[in-house]
């Protein structure tokens, strides 16, 4: 029922081109970093990163928190950005199927929530920060803001001015 | 959502909805125009409807917005379209920016917790911390008389001397280890390692006679290994500034378990040069390329594999007590630390031409030089 409610209805506006392009570019950046982190995880190569002080990529990426439910976080990030990149290609942004935009929004929300968890783990459990991971977190956050501010008006949630370009 | 009501809706409501909403298509957006009537019919069927969506008759966007592609001009609002946007737009913005603010607040809270809690990691594994000034002073300013009194004699706790590579004076020795043109010393350890914990006391005591340490931090060995929680330091951020010798103090492992639970987190992997060095000289554990720790290579002339003395002598002592005792040459722990330190100093003197003379000609160091058969 909820799915039906969410999926029903029109798409009220077309996203601005800069938003579409930005989401794709950010996704590609995130994908690139995720690939690098995944290679590092499986090939055990040293990351190009400081290893002194608060910033210590190696310590973070080899910590117990580098796995989530037994799955390497780097791999989860890679899968996330593969899907995110795929769904942020322009043709899918311009599709009128609300489910696509809902999925994109949900994915971005899950991404930012997981990023928050990882930031918490870095700061409070591991005690170090990984700059490469942080760059992914920042990209995920910006994507979240971008997608949220684009999709909500597209779906017409809480807005009466459906055609107003955000 | 309203369109799912289908038969339950009045015709007026349906008509109003059609006027208010318009499914957009990629083609429209690509053109940057509002689209022709029916443009949305091909690509944007409305969910819940049987047929394609009907676009506005004149192709205009609802509410007089900028248009589908964002490039269209202002269009006057039509009668019957949605109410004025003001309060609703405010609600939308509230949702969006409220969510963003929530994320930002959570991150700020995490950072504040991190800062106010002193930046420790898990509760079970201590993080590196600042060394109390008194401890730094005591361990880096040990009176020469203590070195000279102890020499290499430690009757309570046996001290293992370094191994001279190539068999000592007259033997075949490999090319010297250097860093930046200076005679080099390489140390390989791990923060969890109790033997490394013991060895660092001697290393700091010795090398501080040749230069000045910076970046030393407190640490203690694993709570689950032998000699648990041995008070020590970490070289993770440490540097020695010296005109006589250059050091590479490498902490390979931290004191937290790795993700698999089979070992320790890697703090700083070895580069290829270091791997080659360890492979060549650190024969303590041939099963791994890292060899055994602690490992120290003094200019490719002397090497130590494993601790010079047992860390159990430090059990039950605080860091402050160990440091304060370093001025007492009769203390068993001090004897072990100082004897080991004199051996290291003798090694450094052997690779740098005996500089500084005040150290290298001191009684304690010459005793170690003699014991190692390094010549003068």
């Amino acid at each position: 029922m909820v799915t039906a409610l969410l999926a029903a209805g029109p798409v009220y506006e077309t996203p601005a081109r800069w938003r579409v392009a930005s989401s794709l570019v950010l996704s590609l950046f995130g994908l690139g970093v995720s690939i690098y982190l995944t290679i590092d995880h499986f090939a055990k190569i040293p990351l190009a990163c400081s290893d002194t002080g608060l910033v210590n990529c190696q310590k973070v990426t080899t910590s117990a928190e580098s796995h989530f439910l037994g799955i390497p976080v780097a791999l989860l990030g890679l899968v996330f950005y593969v899907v995110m990149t795929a769904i942020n290609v322009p043709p899918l942004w311009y599709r009128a199927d609300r489910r696509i935009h809902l999925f994109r929004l949900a994915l971005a929300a899950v991404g930012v929530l997981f990023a928050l968890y990882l930031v918490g783990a870095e700061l409070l459990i591991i005690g170090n920060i990984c700059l490469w991971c942080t760059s992914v977190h920042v990209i995920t956050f910006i994507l979240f803001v971008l997608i949220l501010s684009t999709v909500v008006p597209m779906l017409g949630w809480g807005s009466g001015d459906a055609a107003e370009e955000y | 959502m309203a369109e799912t009501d289908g038969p339950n809706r009045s015709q007026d409501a349906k008509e109003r909805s059609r006027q208010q909403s318009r499914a957009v298509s990629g083609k429209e957006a690509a053109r940057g125009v509002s689209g022709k009537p029916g443009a949305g019919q091909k690509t944007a069927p409305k969910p819940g409807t049987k047929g394609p969506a009907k676009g506005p008759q004149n192709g205009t966007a609802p509410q007089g917005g900028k248009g589908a592609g964002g490039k269209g001009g202002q269009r006057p609002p039509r009668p019957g379209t949605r109410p004025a946007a003001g309060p609703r737009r405010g609600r939308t913005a509230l949702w969006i920016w409220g969510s963003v603010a929530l994320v930002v607040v959570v991150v700020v809270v995490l950072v504040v917790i991190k800062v106010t809690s002193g930046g420790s990691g898990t509760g079970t594994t201590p993080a590196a911390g600042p060394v109390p000034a008194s401890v730094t002073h005591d361990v880096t300013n040990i009176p020469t008389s203590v070195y000279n009194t102890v020499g290499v004699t430690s009757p309570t706790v046996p001290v293992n001397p370094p191994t001279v590579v190539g068999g000592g004076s007259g033997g075949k020795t490999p090319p010297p280890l250097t860093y930046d043109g200076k005679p080099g010393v390489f140390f390989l350890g791990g923060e969890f390692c109790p033997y490394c914990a013991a060895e660092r006391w001697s290393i700091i005591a010795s090398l501080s006679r040749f230069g000045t340490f910076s970046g030393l931090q407190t640490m203690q060995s694993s709570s689950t290994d032998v000699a648990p929680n041995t008070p020590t330091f970490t070289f993770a951020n440490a540097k020695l500034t010296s005109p006589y010798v250059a050091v590479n103090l490498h902490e390979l492992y931290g004191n937290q378990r790795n993700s698999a639970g089979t070992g320790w987190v890697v703090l700083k992997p070895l580069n290829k040069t270091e791997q080659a060095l360890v492979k060549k000289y650190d024969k303590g554990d041939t099963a791994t390329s890292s060899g055994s720790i602690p490992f120290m290579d003094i200019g490719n002339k002397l090497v130590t594999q494993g601790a010079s003395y047992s860390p159990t002598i430090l059990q039950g002592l605080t860091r402050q007590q160990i440091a304060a005792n370093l001025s007492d040459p009769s203390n068993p722990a001090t004897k072990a630390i100082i004897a080991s330190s004199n051996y290291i100093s003798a090694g450094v003197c052997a690779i740098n031409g005996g500089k500084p003379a005040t150290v290298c000609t001191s009684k304690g160091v010459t005793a170690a030089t003699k014991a190692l058969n390094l010549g003068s």
Side-chain angles (χ1 to χ4, degrees):
Chain A
M1 180 62 181
V2 173
T3 306
L5 287 171
L6 289 171
V11 172
Y12 286 102
E13 67 172 68
T14 301
R17 289 177 182 176
W18 71 266
R19 289 178 174 273
V20 174
S22 300
S23 71
L24 185 60
V25 169
L26 284 168
S27 300
L28 286 171
F29 270 118
L31 181 63
V33 179
S34 298
I35 289 171
Y36 180 51
L37 287 169
T38 305
I39 291 173
D40 163 75
H41 180 86
F42 288 105
K44 310 291 183 192
I45 57 169
L47 284 167
C49 172
S50 167
D51 52 17
T52 59
L54 180 64
V55 176
N56 191 327
C57 295
Q58 201 68 33
K59 193 172 175 184
V60 171
T61 56
T62 60
S63 69
E65 286 69 33
S66 67
H67 284 69
F68 185 78
L69 301 176
I71 306 169
V73 169
L75 188 60
L76 289 174
L78 179 63
V79 171
F80 174 84
Y81 270 104
V82 166
V83 177
M84 186 59 94
T85 303
I87 203 166
N88 279 335
V89 296
L92 288 183
W93 267 112
Y94 296 127
R95 288 283 292 273
D97 191 337
R98 289 169 63 96
R99 288 170 298 188
I100 293 173
H101 307 299
L102 283 166
F103 177 71
R104 182 185 294 114
L105 181 58
L107 191 66
V110 168
V112 83
L113 287 175
F114 198 70
L116 284 176
Y117 157 73
L118 292 174
V119 169
E122 284 182 282
L123 291 175
L124 306 182
I125 300 174
I126 304 169
N128 288 92
I129 287 175
C130 162
L131 278 187
W132 287 100
C133 314
T134 302
S135 70
V136 176
H137 300 160
V138 170
I139 291 171
T140 305
F141 176 68
I142 297 172
L143 260 176
F144 170 69
V145 176
L146 184 66
I147 289 174
L148 183 70
S149 61
T150 306
V151 169
V152 166
M154 284 176 73
L155 300 178
W157 288 349
S159 175
D161 54 341
E164 188 69 34
E165 187 176 320
Y166 281 74
Chain B
M1 185 170 71
E3 302 227 349
T4 56
D5 296 339
N8 297 329
R9 296 181 61 200
S10 68
Q11 286 300 319
D12 286 348
K14 288 182 180 177
E15 184 57 31
R16 191 161 55 248
S17 177
R18 289 192 188 101
Q19 290 177 348
Q20 290 173 345
S21 63
R22 181 179 62 86
V24 294
S25 72
K27 290 179 181 178
E28 289 173 309
R31 286 194 300 269
V33 296
S34 299
K36 298 173 183 176
Q41 292 177 8
K42 280 185 180 177
T43 57
K46 293 180 181 180
T49 59
K50 292 179 180 178
K54 293 180 180 178
Q57 291 303 306
N58 60 358
T60 56
Q63 286 292 320
K66 290 179 182 177
K71 303 296 181 185
Q74 291 290 326
R75 293 177 174 85
R78 295 175 309 187
T81 55
R82 294 187 175 190
R88 292 193 178 186
R89 188 190 301 171
R91 264 206 311 274
T92 304
L94 190 65
W95 270 105
I96 294 170
W97 298 114
S99 302
V100 172
L102 186 64
V103 172
V104 172
V105 165
V106 170
V107 172
V108 169
V109 167
L110 289 172
V111 171
V112 168
I113 292 173
K114 162 74 177 171
V115 170
T116 55
S117 67
S120 67
T122 59
T124 55
T125 51
V131 182
S134 62
V135 171
T136 303
H137 177 268
D138 289 346
V139 75
T140 59
N141 292 280
I142 300 170
T144 304
S145 60
V146 175
Y147 290 106
N148 293 342
T149 302
V150 173
V152 291
T153 306
S154 177
T156 308
V157 185
V159 174
N160 302 314
T163 303
V164 179
V165 178
S169 61
K172 186 179 178 183
T173 54
L177 174 67
T178 59
Y179 294 117
D180 298 328
K182 291 181 187 174
V185 173
F186 174 71
F187 168 81
L188 180 65
E191 291 178 345
F192 73 93
C193 156
Y195 302 100
C196 309
E199 197 70 7
R200 288 190 200 93
W201 285 96
S202 302
I203 293 171
I204 296 169
S206 169
L207 294 181
S208 60
R209 303 179 79 182
F210 297 89
T212 304
F213 268 104
S214 61
L216 282 175
Q217 292 173 289
T218 58
M219 182 52 60
Q220 62 188 57
S221 66
S222 165
S223 60
T224 57
D225 209 328
V226 299
N229 303 315
T230 298
T232 187
F233 308 85
T234 175
F235 290 149
N237 301 316
K239 285 184 172 59
L240 180 80
T241 305
S242 167
Y244 309 112
V245 65
V247 300
N248 177 2
L249 305 169
H250 195 117
E251 298 287 9
L252 179 58
Y253 300 106
N255 63 352
Q256 291 180 315
R257 284 283 177 186
N258 63 15
S259 55
T262 54
W264 303 91
V265 294
V266 176
L267 277 187
K268 186 179 181 183
L270 294 168
N271 62 32
K272 288 182 178 177
T273 306
E274 292 163 342
Q275 285 176 5
L277 183 75
V278 169
K279 189 175 181 182
K280 186 172 183 180
Y281 295 112
D282 190 5
K283 307 290 188 184
D285 180 1
T286 54
T288 69
S289 60
S290 297
S292 65
I293 55 172
F295 166 72
M296 189 159 65
D297 180 337
I298 305 173
N300 285 350
K301 194 173 182 72
L302 295 96
V303 295
T304 62
Q305 298 169 66
S308 299
Y309 63 96
S310 172
T312 54
I313 191 65
L314 305 178
Q315 285 289 281
L317 297 173
T318 66
R319 187 175 290 101
Q320 281 79 0
Q321 287 172 328
I322 297 169
N325 288 341
L326 288 173
S327 59
D328 176 10
S330 65
N331 182 280
T334 300
K335 281 179 179 290
I337 293 169
I338 296 299
S340 172
S341 172
N342 277 334
Y343 278 128
I344 296 169
S345 297
V348 174
C349 290
I351 63 170
N352 76 355
K355 300 171 188 170
T358 51
V359 174
C360 295
T361 59
S362 66
K363 186 181 171 186
V365 174
T366 52
T369 301
K370 188 177 178 183
L372 292 168
N373 193 26
L374 287 170
S376 56

